[in-house]
Short mmCIF file of all heavy atoms in Angstrom, two decimals:
data_model
loop_
_atom_site.label_atom_id
_atom_site.label_comp_id
_atom_site.label_asym_id
_atom_site.label_seq_id
_atom_site.Cartn_x
_atom_site.Cartn_y
_atom_site.Cartn_z
N SER A 102 -15.07 14.91 -4.79
CA SER A 102 -16.19 14.80 -5.74
C SER A 102 -17.50 15.18 -5.09
O SER A 102 -17.71 14.77 -3.97
CB SER A 102 -16.33 13.35 -6.32
OG SER A 102 -16.63 12.39 -5.13
N GLN A 103 -18.35 15.93 -5.80
CA GLN A 103 -19.56 16.46 -5.16
C GLN A 103 -20.61 16.55 -6.20
O GLN A 103 -20.88 17.71 -6.86
CB GLN A 103 -19.27 17.82 -4.51
CG GLN A 103 -20.26 18.54 -3.96
CD GLN A 103 -20.25 18.51 -2.43
OE1 GLN A 103 -19.13 18.38 -1.95
NE2 GLN A 103 -21.42 18.37 -1.77
N PHE A 104 -21.35 15.50 -6.44
CA PHE A 104 -22.43 15.49 -7.45
C PHE A 104 -23.45 16.56 -7.14
O PHE A 104 -24.27 17.03 -7.94
CB PHE A 104 -22.94 14.00 -7.68
CG PHE A 104 -23.99 13.62 -6.58
CD1 PHE A 104 -25.30 13.88 -6.76
CD2 PHE A 104 -23.46 13.00 -5.42
CE1 PHE A 104 -26.24 13.32 -5.76
CE2 PHE A 104 -24.38 12.56 -4.56
CZ PHE A 104 -25.71 12.66 -4.71
N THR A 105 -23.56 16.90 -5.82
CA THR A 105 -24.72 17.83 -5.47
C THR A 105 -24.60 19.07 -5.93
O THR A 105 -25.42 20.07 -5.83
CB THR A 105 -24.91 17.85 -3.86
OG1 THR A 105 -23.54 18.22 -3.29
CG2 THR A 105 -25.22 16.35 -3.37
N LEU A 106 -23.33 19.42 -6.49
CA LEU A 106 -23.15 20.80 -7.05
C LEU A 106 -24.10 21.05 -8.36
O LEU A 106 -24.37 22.10 -8.82
CB LEU A 106 -21.76 21.03 -7.56
CG LEU A 106 -20.59 21.11 -6.46
CD1 LEU A 106 -19.29 21.25 -7.05
CD2 LEU A 106 -20.97 22.19 -5.51
N TYR A 107 -24.66 19.85 -8.72
CA TYR A 107 -25.65 20.08 -9.91
C TYR A 107 -27.06 19.71 -9.41
O TYR A 107 -27.91 19.33 -10.17
CB TYR A 107 -25.24 19.12 -11.12
CG TYR A 107 -24.10 19.76 -11.88
CD1 TYR A 107 -22.83 19.51 -11.72
CD2 TYR A 107 -24.42 20.80 -12.84
CE1 TYR A 107 -21.84 20.14 -12.44
CE2 TYR A 107 -23.49 21.44 -13.52
CZ TYR A 107 -22.16 21.12 -13.37
OH TYR A 107 -21.10 21.65 -14.12
N GLY A 108 -27.30 19.89 -8.14
CA GLY A 108 -28.69 19.80 -7.60
C GLY A 108 -29.57 20.88 -8.11
O GLY A 108 -29.08 22.05 -8.26
N ASN A 109 -30.78 20.45 -8.52
CA ASN A 109 -31.70 21.50 -8.96
C ASN A 109 -32.88 21.62 -7.81
O ASN A 109 -33.57 20.70 -7.56
CB ASN A 109 -32.31 21.01 -10.24
CG ASN A 109 -33.39 21.98 -10.71
OD1 ASN A 109 -33.92 22.90 -10.18
ND2 ASN A 109 -33.56 21.93 -12.11
N CYS A 110 -33.02 22.90 -7.29
CA CYS A 110 -33.98 23.15 -6.28
C CYS A 110 -35.15 23.98 -6.76
O CYS A 110 -35.82 24.47 -5.93
CB CYS A 110 -33.29 23.89 -5.18
SG CYS A 110 -32.00 22.96 -4.36
N LYS A 111 -35.37 23.92 -8.03
CA LYS A 111 -36.50 24.76 -8.64
C LYS A 111 -37.89 24.32 -8.20
O LYS A 111 -38.83 25.12 -7.87
CB LYS A 111 -36.47 24.78 -10.19
CG LYS A 111 -35.24 25.59 -10.60
CD LYS A 111 -35.22 25.67 -12.05
CE LYS A 111 -34.07 26.45 -12.63
NZ LYS A 111 -34.00 26.41 -14.08
N LYS A 112 -38.03 23.06 -8.11
CA LYS A 112 -39.45 22.47 -7.84
C LYS A 112 -39.37 21.82 -6.52
O LYS A 112 -38.49 21.04 -6.10
CB LYS A 112 -39.95 21.49 -8.91
CG LYS A 112 -40.10 22.07 -10.15
CD LYS A 112 -40.67 21.08 -11.17
CE LYS A 112 -41.01 21.74 -12.47
NZ LYS A 112 -41.56 20.81 -13.51
N GLY A 113 -40.39 21.98 -5.59
CA GLY A 113 -40.59 21.26 -4.41
C GLY A 113 -39.49 21.57 -3.32
O GLY A 113 -38.78 22.56 -3.62
N ARG A 114 -39.29 20.66 -2.47
CA ARG A 114 -38.40 20.82 -1.29
C ARG A 114 -37.28 19.83 -1.35
O ARG A 114 -36.46 20.00 -0.52
CB ARG A 114 -39.28 20.67 0.01
CG ARG A 114 -40.20 21.84 0.25
CD ARG A 114 -40.98 21.73 1.48
NE ARG A 114 -41.98 22.67 1.55
CZ ARG A 114 -41.81 23.85 2.28
NH1 ARG A 114 -40.80 24.04 2.98
NH2 ARG A 114 -42.86 24.62 2.44
N ARG A 115 -37.26 18.98 -2.24
CA ARG A 115 -36.21 17.99 -2.32
C ARG A 115 -35.52 18.27 -3.58
O ARG A 115 -36.14 18.17 -4.64
CB ARG A 115 -36.79 16.63 -2.26
CG ARG A 115 -35.58 15.61 -2.14
CD ARG A 115 -36.13 14.22 -1.97
NE ARG A 115 -37.34 13.83 -2.66
CZ ARG A 115 -38.45 13.14 -2.13
NH1 ARG A 115 -38.27 12.71 -0.97
NH2 ARG A 115 -39.47 12.90 -2.91
N PRO A 116 -34.22 18.47 -3.58
CA PRO A 116 -33.53 18.64 -4.97
C PRO A 116 -33.43 17.47 -5.69
O PRO A 116 -33.51 16.36 -5.30
CB PRO A 116 -32.08 18.97 -4.43
CG PRO A 116 -32.08 19.00 -3.06
CD PRO A 116 -33.34 18.60 -2.36
N GLU A 117 -33.27 17.60 -7.09
CA GLU A 117 -33.14 16.50 -7.98
C GLU A 117 -31.75 16.66 -8.62
O GLU A 117 -31.26 17.74 -8.66
CB GLU A 117 -34.28 16.42 -9.08
CG GLU A 117 -34.43 17.75 -9.87
CD GLU A 117 -33.59 17.65 -11.15
OE1 GLU A 117 -32.66 16.82 -11.31
OE2 GLU A 117 -33.96 18.45 -12.04
N PHE A 118 -31.20 15.55 -8.95
CA PHE A 118 -29.76 15.57 -9.35
C PHE A 118 -29.61 14.88 -10.77
O PHE A 118 -28.60 14.39 -11.06
CB PHE A 118 -28.93 14.72 -8.35
CG PHE A 118 -28.99 15.38 -7.08
CD1 PHE A 118 -29.88 14.88 -6.04
CD2 PHE A 118 -28.32 16.50 -6.67
CE1 PHE A 118 -29.85 15.43 -4.78
CE2 PHE A 118 -28.30 17.15 -5.45
CZ PHE A 118 -29.17 16.49 -4.44
N LEU A 119 -30.65 15.21 -11.64
CA LEU A 119 -30.53 14.63 -12.95
C LEU A 119 -29.46 15.24 -13.85
O LEU A 119 -29.10 14.41 -14.75
CB LEU A 119 -31.97 14.85 -13.65
CG LEU A 119 -33.17 14.16 -13.00
CD1 LEU A 119 -34.51 14.56 -13.67
CD2 LEU A 119 -33.00 12.60 -12.92
N SER A 120 -29.00 16.42 -13.65
CA SER A 120 -27.91 16.91 -14.36
C SER A 120 -26.60 16.37 -13.97
O SER A 120 -25.63 16.44 -14.75
CB SER A 120 -28.02 18.40 -14.27
OG SER A 120 -29.04 18.95 -14.85
N ALA A 121 -26.52 15.75 -12.86
CA ALA A 121 -25.25 15.28 -12.35
C ALA A 121 -24.81 14.05 -13.14
O ALA A 121 -25.61 13.21 -13.55
CB ALA A 121 -25.23 14.93 -10.99
N ALA A 122 -23.55 13.88 -13.41
CA ALA A 122 -23.05 12.86 -14.29
C ALA A 122 -23.19 11.53 -13.49
O ALA A 122 -22.81 11.53 -12.34
CB ALA A 122 -21.59 13.01 -14.70
N ARG A 123 -23.46 10.34 -14.16
CA ARG A 123 -23.43 9.11 -13.65
C ARG A 123 -21.95 8.73 -13.38
O ARG A 123 -21.12 9.26 -13.99
CB ARG A 123 -24.22 8.09 -14.51
CG ARG A 123 -25.43 8.44 -15.00
CD ARG A 123 -26.73 7.95 -14.18
NE ARG A 123 -26.47 6.56 -13.76
CZ ARG A 123 -26.79 5.99 -12.58
NH1 ARG A 123 -27.36 6.91 -11.73
NH2 ARG A 123 -26.69 4.79 -12.23
N PRO A 124 -21.72 7.82 -12.43
CA PRO A 124 -20.35 7.44 -12.25
C PRO A 124 -19.45 6.99 -13.35
O PRO A 124 -18.37 7.26 -13.49
CB PRO A 124 -20.48 6.22 -11.13
CG PRO A 124 -21.82 6.51 -10.53
CD PRO A 124 -22.75 7.06 -11.61
N GLU A 125 -20.10 6.39 -14.45
CA GLU A 125 -19.22 5.94 -15.58
C GLU A 125 -18.80 7.12 -16.28
O GLU A 125 -17.73 6.97 -16.99
CB GLU A 125 -20.00 4.93 -16.40
CG GLU A 125 -21.33 5.42 -16.97
CD GLU A 125 -22.65 5.24 -15.97
OE1 GLU A 125 -22.44 4.93 -14.75
OE2 GLU A 125 -23.63 5.35 -16.55
N VAL A 126 -19.41 8.30 -16.24
CA VAL A 126 -18.80 9.48 -16.82
C VAL A 126 -17.98 10.31 -15.78
O VAL A 126 -16.92 10.91 -16.10
CB VAL A 126 -20.07 10.28 -17.38
CG1 VAL A 126 -19.53 11.75 -17.76
CG2 VAL A 126 -20.86 9.60 -18.38
N ALA A 127 -18.50 10.49 -14.68
CA ALA A 127 -17.92 11.29 -13.60
C ALA A 127 -16.56 10.74 -13.08
O ALA A 127 -15.72 11.61 -13.05
CB ALA A 127 -18.95 11.54 -12.46
N ILE A 128 -16.47 9.49 -12.90
CA ILE A 128 -15.21 8.94 -12.24
C ILE A 128 -14.00 9.17 -13.19
O ILE A 128 -13.06 9.71 -12.77
CB ILE A 128 -15.26 7.52 -12.00
CG1 ILE A 128 -16.29 7.36 -10.71
CG2 ILE A 128 -13.92 7.00 -11.55
CD1 ILE A 128 -16.66 5.97 -10.44
N PRO A 129 -14.13 8.95 -14.53
CA PRO A 129 -12.93 9.25 -15.39
C PRO A 129 -12.55 10.66 -15.33
O PRO A 129 -11.40 11.02 -15.48
CB PRO A 129 -13.27 8.63 -16.76
CG PRO A 129 -14.33 7.68 -16.53
CD PRO A 129 -15.11 8.03 -15.15
N LEU A 130 -13.58 11.68 -15.48
CA LEU A 130 -13.39 13.09 -15.42
C LEU A 130 -12.65 13.46 -14.10
O LEU A 130 -11.92 14.29 -14.07
CB LEU A 130 -14.65 13.81 -15.75
CG LEU A 130 -15.19 13.65 -17.06
CD1 LEU A 130 -16.53 14.33 -17.22
CD2 LEU A 130 -14.18 14.39 -18.20
N TYR A 131 -13.19 12.98 -12.98
CA TYR A 131 -12.66 13.29 -11.65
C TYR A 131 -11.31 12.84 -11.67
O TYR A 131 -10.43 13.69 -11.24
CB TYR A 131 -13.43 12.70 -10.67
CG TYR A 131 -12.89 12.73 -9.22
CD1 TYR A 131 -13.04 13.86 -8.44
CD2 TYR A 131 -12.29 11.67 -8.71
CE1 TYR A 131 -12.60 13.89 -7.19
CE2 TYR A 131 -11.78 11.69 -7.40
CZ TYR A 131 -12.00 12.90 -6.56
OH TYR A 131 -11.60 12.81 -5.40
N GLU A 132 -10.92 11.56 -12.01
CA GLU A 132 -9.55 11.15 -12.06
C GLU A 132 -8.68 11.98 -13.02
O GLU A 132 -7.49 12.20 -12.69
CB GLU A 132 -9.46 9.63 -12.35
CG GLU A 132 -10.14 8.87 -11.30
CD GLU A 132 -10.32 7.30 -11.68
OE1 GLU A 132 -10.19 7.03 -12.83
OE2 GLU A 132 -10.56 6.63 -10.62
N LYS A 133 -9.12 12.34 -14.04
CA LYS A 133 -8.40 13.16 -15.01
C LYS A 133 -8.06 14.43 -14.39
O LYS A 133 -6.84 14.93 -14.62
CB LYS A 133 -9.19 13.35 -16.45
CG LYS A 133 -8.63 14.20 -17.46
CD LYS A 133 -7.23 13.41 -17.97
CE LYS A 133 -6.66 14.10 -19.15
NZ LYS A 133 -5.52 13.54 -19.65
N PHE A 134 -9.04 15.13 -13.83
CA PHE A 134 -8.72 16.38 -13.14
C PHE A 134 -7.74 16.42 -12.15
O PHE A 134 -6.77 17.18 -12.10
CB PHE A 134 -10.05 17.00 -12.61
CG PHE A 134 -9.91 18.23 -11.91
CD1 PHE A 134 -9.95 19.55 -12.49
CD2 PHE A 134 -9.66 18.37 -10.61
CE1 PHE A 134 -9.72 20.72 -11.90
CE2 PHE A 134 -9.51 19.51 -9.86
CZ PHE A 134 -9.50 20.77 -10.55
N VAL A 135 -7.78 15.32 -11.22
CA VAL A 135 -6.80 15.09 -10.30
C VAL A 135 -5.35 14.97 -11.00
O VAL A 135 -4.42 15.41 -10.46
CB VAL A 135 -7.23 13.97 -9.34
CG1 VAL A 135 -6.03 13.42 -8.39
CG2 VAL A 135 -8.42 14.21 -8.51
N GLN A 136 -5.38 14.08 -11.95
CA GLN A 136 -4.04 13.83 -12.52
C GLN A 136 -3.46 15.00 -13.24
O GLN A 136 -2.27 15.30 -13.14
CB GLN A 136 -4.22 12.64 -13.59
CG GLN A 136 -2.83 12.19 -14.02
CD GLN A 136 -1.87 11.65 -12.96
OE1 GLN A 136 -2.31 10.86 -12.17
NE2 GLN A 136 -0.62 12.19 -12.96
N LEU A 137 -4.33 15.86 -13.87
CA LEU A 137 -3.78 17.05 -14.46
C LEU A 137 -3.19 17.98 -13.44
O LEU A 137 -2.13 18.62 -13.57
CB LEU A 137 -4.98 17.89 -15.01
CG LEU A 137 -5.57 17.18 -16.30
CD1 LEU A 137 -6.86 17.71 -16.74
CD2 LEU A 137 -4.52 17.46 -17.54
N CYS A 138 -3.94 18.11 -12.21
CA CYS A 138 -3.25 18.87 -11.18
C CYS A 138 -1.90 18.32 -10.71
O CYS A 138 -0.95 19.12 -10.37
CB CYS A 138 -4.25 19.02 -9.96
SG CYS A 138 -5.74 19.88 -10.26
N ARG A 139 -1.86 16.95 -10.54
CA ARG A 139 -0.59 16.39 -10.21
C ARG A 139 0.50 16.51 -11.19
O ARG A 139 1.69 16.79 -10.83
CB ARG A 139 -0.87 15.02 -9.85
CG ARG A 139 -1.47 14.57 -8.66
CD ARG A 139 -1.76 13.12 -8.38
NE ARG A 139 -2.34 12.95 -7.08
CZ ARG A 139 -3.26 11.93 -6.79
NH1 ARG A 139 -3.58 11.08 -7.78
NH2 ARG A 139 -3.79 11.89 -5.71
N ASP A 140 0.14 16.51 -12.49
CA ASP A 140 0.95 16.69 -13.47
C ASP A 140 1.65 18.05 -13.64
O ASP A 140 2.80 18.27 -14.05
CB ASP A 140 0.50 16.45 -15.03
CG ASP A 140 0.09 14.94 -15.02
OD1 ASP A 140 0.61 14.10 -14.43
OD2 ASP A 140 -0.66 14.67 -16.09
N LYS A 141 0.98 18.97 -12.89
CA LYS A 141 1.43 20.46 -12.81
C LYS A 141 2.42 20.57 -11.71
O LYS A 141 2.92 21.58 -11.37
CB LYS A 141 0.31 21.42 -12.70
CG LYS A 141 -0.45 21.50 -13.98
CD LYS A 141 -1.74 22.47 -13.75
CE LYS A 141 -2.49 22.56 -14.93
NZ LYS A 141 -1.82 23.13 -16.11
N GLY A 142 2.62 19.48 -10.93
CA GLY A 142 3.65 19.45 -9.88
C GLY A 142 3.09 19.64 -8.56
O GLY A 142 3.77 19.85 -7.53
N PHE A 143 1.75 19.62 -8.28
CA PHE A 143 1.11 20.00 -7.08
C PHE A 143 0.95 18.67 -6.27
O PHE A 143 0.51 17.61 -6.93
CB PHE A 143 -0.16 20.66 -7.22
CG PHE A 143 0.00 22.06 -7.81
CD1 PHE A 143 -0.36 22.33 -9.09
CD2 PHE A 143 0.59 23.13 -7.07
CE1 PHE A 143 -0.12 23.61 -9.69
CE2 PHE A 143 0.68 24.43 -7.66
CZ PHE A 143 0.34 24.72 -8.87
N HIS A 144 0.99 18.76 -4.93
CA HIS A 144 0.58 17.73 -4.14
C HIS A 144 -0.96 17.57 -4.02
O HIS A 144 -1.48 18.62 -3.51
CB HIS A 144 1.27 17.87 -2.69
CG HIS A 144 0.69 16.75 -1.76
ND1 HIS A 144 1.48 15.58 -1.69
CD2 HIS A 144 -0.22 16.74 -0.83
CE1 HIS A 144 0.77 14.83 -0.73
NE2 HIS A 144 -0.15 15.53 -0.30
N VAL A 145 -1.51 16.55 -4.45
CA VAL A 145 -3.02 16.47 -4.51
C VAL A 145 -3.44 15.29 -3.70
O VAL A 145 -3.00 14.22 -3.85
CB VAL A 145 -3.53 16.30 -5.97
CG1 VAL A 145 -4.99 16.21 -5.94
CG2 VAL A 145 -3.02 17.49 -6.89
N GLU A 146 -4.37 15.61 -2.82
CA GLU A 146 -5.03 14.49 -2.07
C GLU A 146 -6.54 14.59 -2.51
O GLU A 146 -7.01 15.41 -3.06
CB GLU A 146 -5.01 14.86 -0.54
CG GLU A 146 -3.61 15.00 0.08
CD GLU A 146 -3.12 13.58 0.45
OE1 GLU A 146 -3.87 12.76 0.91
OE2 GLU A 146 -1.80 13.40 0.29
N THR A 147 -7.17 13.26 -2.27
CA THR A 147 -8.57 13.13 -2.67
C THR A 147 -9.42 12.59 -1.64
O THR A 147 -8.87 11.94 -0.73
CB THR A 147 -8.50 12.31 -4.04
OG1 THR A 147 -8.21 10.97 -3.67
CG2 THR A 147 -7.75 12.86 -5.08
N GLY A 148 -10.65 12.70 -1.85
CA GLY A 148 -11.65 11.97 -1.12
C GLY A 148 -11.90 10.63 -1.90
O GLY A 148 -11.01 10.22 -2.66
N GLU A 149 -12.97 9.92 -1.46
CA GLU A 149 -13.33 8.60 -2.05
C GLU A 149 -14.62 8.83 -2.91
O GLU A 149 -15.57 9.20 -2.34
CB GLU A 149 -13.47 7.66 -1.08
CG GLU A 149 -13.78 6.23 -1.62
CD GLU A 149 -13.88 5.09 -0.51
OE1 GLU A 149 -13.04 5.21 0.48
OE2 GLU A 149 -14.75 4.33 -0.66
N PHE A 150 -14.48 8.66 -4.28
CA PHE A 150 -15.72 8.89 -5.11
C PHE A 150 -16.86 8.03 -4.54
O PHE A 150 -16.75 6.85 -4.47
CB PHE A 150 -15.41 8.69 -6.63
CG PHE A 150 -16.35 9.11 -7.40
CD1 PHE A 150 -16.23 10.34 -8.15
CD2 PHE A 150 -17.61 8.34 -7.75
CE1 PHE A 150 -17.14 10.82 -8.96
CE2 PHE A 150 -18.55 8.90 -8.64
CZ PHE A 150 -18.25 10.04 -9.15
N GLY A 151 -18.04 8.79 -4.39
CA GLY A 151 -19.25 8.07 -4.03
C GLY A 151 -19.37 7.64 -2.60
O GLY A 151 -20.33 7.12 -2.09
N ALA A 152 -18.33 7.91 -1.84
CA ALA A 152 -18.47 7.61 -0.38
C ALA A 152 -19.11 8.68 0.40
O ALA A 152 -19.19 9.82 0.05
CB ALA A 152 -16.96 7.42 0.07
N ASP A 153 -19.61 8.34 1.65
CA ASP A 153 -20.13 9.29 2.55
C ASP A 153 -18.86 9.72 3.33
O ASP A 153 -18.15 9.03 4.08
CB ASP A 153 -21.10 8.48 3.59
CG ASP A 153 -21.70 9.47 4.48
OD1 ASP A 153 -21.63 10.68 4.29
OD2 ASP A 153 -22.19 9.00 5.55
N MET A 154 -18.52 10.98 3.11
CA MET A 154 -17.31 11.68 3.58
C MET A 154 -17.52 12.77 4.58
O MET A 154 -18.60 13.39 4.49
CB MET A 154 -16.51 12.30 2.43
CG MET A 154 -16.04 11.28 1.34
SD MET A 154 -15.20 12.05 -0.01
CE MET A 154 -16.62 12.39 -1.18
N GLU A 155 -16.74 12.96 5.59
CA GLU A 155 -16.64 13.94 6.49
C GLU A 155 -15.51 14.95 5.93
O GLU A 155 -14.44 14.47 6.05
CB GLU A 155 -16.52 13.45 7.93
CG GLU A 155 -17.57 12.61 8.41
CD GLU A 155 -17.32 12.06 9.79
OE1 GLU A 155 -16.26 12.32 10.39
OE2 GLU A 155 -18.06 11.13 10.17
N VAL A 156 -15.86 16.19 5.74
CA VAL A 156 -14.89 17.06 5.16
C VAL A 156 -14.66 18.12 6.12
O VAL A 156 -15.68 18.78 6.48
CB VAL A 156 -15.28 17.51 3.69
CG1 VAL A 156 -14.25 18.48 3.32
CG2 VAL A 156 -15.49 16.38 2.73
N GLU A 157 -13.47 18.53 6.56
CA GLU A 157 -13.23 19.60 7.43
C GLU A 157 -12.27 20.49 6.75
O GLU A 157 -11.35 20.17 6.02
CB GLU A 157 -12.56 19.05 8.74
CG GLU A 157 -13.59 18.35 9.57
CD GLU A 157 -12.91 17.99 10.96
OE1 GLU A 157 -11.60 18.06 11.03
OE2 GLU A 157 -13.63 17.63 11.81
N SER A 158 -12.46 21.89 6.93
CA SER A 158 -11.48 22.80 6.40
C SER A 158 -11.36 23.97 7.34
O SER A 158 -12.42 24.30 8.06
CB SER A 158 -11.79 23.28 5.05
OG SER A 158 -13.07 24.01 5.14
N VAL A 159 -10.23 24.62 7.46
CA VAL A 159 -10.01 25.84 8.12
C VAL A 159 -9.78 26.88 6.96
O VAL A 159 -8.73 26.90 6.25
CB VAL A 159 -8.74 25.79 8.93
CG1 VAL A 159 -8.46 27.16 9.64
CG2 VAL A 159 -8.84 24.70 10.07
N ASN A 160 -11.00 27.51 6.64
CA ASN A 160 -10.91 28.45 5.53
C ASN A 160 -10.00 29.82 5.80
O ASN A 160 -9.94 30.22 6.93
CB ASN A 160 -12.37 28.94 5.25
CG ASN A 160 -13.25 27.76 4.81
OD1 ASN A 160 -12.81 26.78 4.64
ND2 ASN A 160 -14.46 28.09 4.71
N ASP A 161 -9.38 30.15 4.73
CA ASP A 161 -8.37 31.31 4.82
C ASP A 161 -8.97 32.41 4.04
O ASP A 161 -9.07 32.49 2.99
CB ASP A 161 -7.06 30.91 4.15
CG ASP A 161 -6.15 31.85 4.23
OD1 ASP A 161 -6.21 32.98 4.94
OD2 ASP A 161 -4.93 31.80 3.59
N GLY A 162 -9.41 33.39 4.91
CA GLY A 162 -10.05 34.56 4.33
C GLY A 162 -11.36 35.07 4.94
O GLY A 162 -11.41 35.97 5.78
N PRO A 163 -12.43 34.36 4.69
CA PRO A 163 -12.52 33.24 3.76
C PRO A 163 -12.53 33.68 2.32
O PRO A 163 -13.02 34.85 2.11
CB PRO A 163 -13.82 32.68 4.25
CG PRO A 163 -14.73 33.79 4.73
CD PRO A 163 -13.63 34.71 5.49
N LEU A 164 -12.01 32.87 1.41
CA LEU A 164 -11.95 33.15 0.00
C LEU A 164 -12.64 31.85 -0.69
O LEU A 164 -11.99 30.95 -0.55
CB LEU A 164 -10.68 33.46 -0.40
CG LEU A 164 -10.50 33.99 -1.92
CD1 LEU A 164 -9.48 35.03 -1.95
CD2 LEU A 164 -10.62 33.00 -2.89
#
Side-chain angles (χ1 to χ4, degrees):
S102 62
Q103 182 103 31
F104 77 93
T105 61
L106 292 180
Y107 281 99
N109 183 334
C110 299
K111 288 181 183 175
K112 292 184 181 180
R114 296 180 183 257
R115 186 174 38 219
E117 58 91 346
F118 302 100
L119 297 175
S120 295
R123 305 269 317 142
E125 57 271 13
V126 172
I128 291 171
L130 288 172
Y131 173 77
E132 291 173 349
K133 178 69 173 179
F134 178 86
V135 168
Q136 190 58 52
L137 289 163
C138 293
R139 287 181 175 145
D140 289 348
K141 292 176 180 300
F143 295 107
H144 176 84
V145 180
E146 298 276 326
T147 65
E149 182 179 320
F150 193 94
D153 184 16
M154 297 175 274
E155 296 175 7
V156 180
E157 291 184 344
S158 65
V159 177
N160 297 351
D161 183 10
L164 190 151

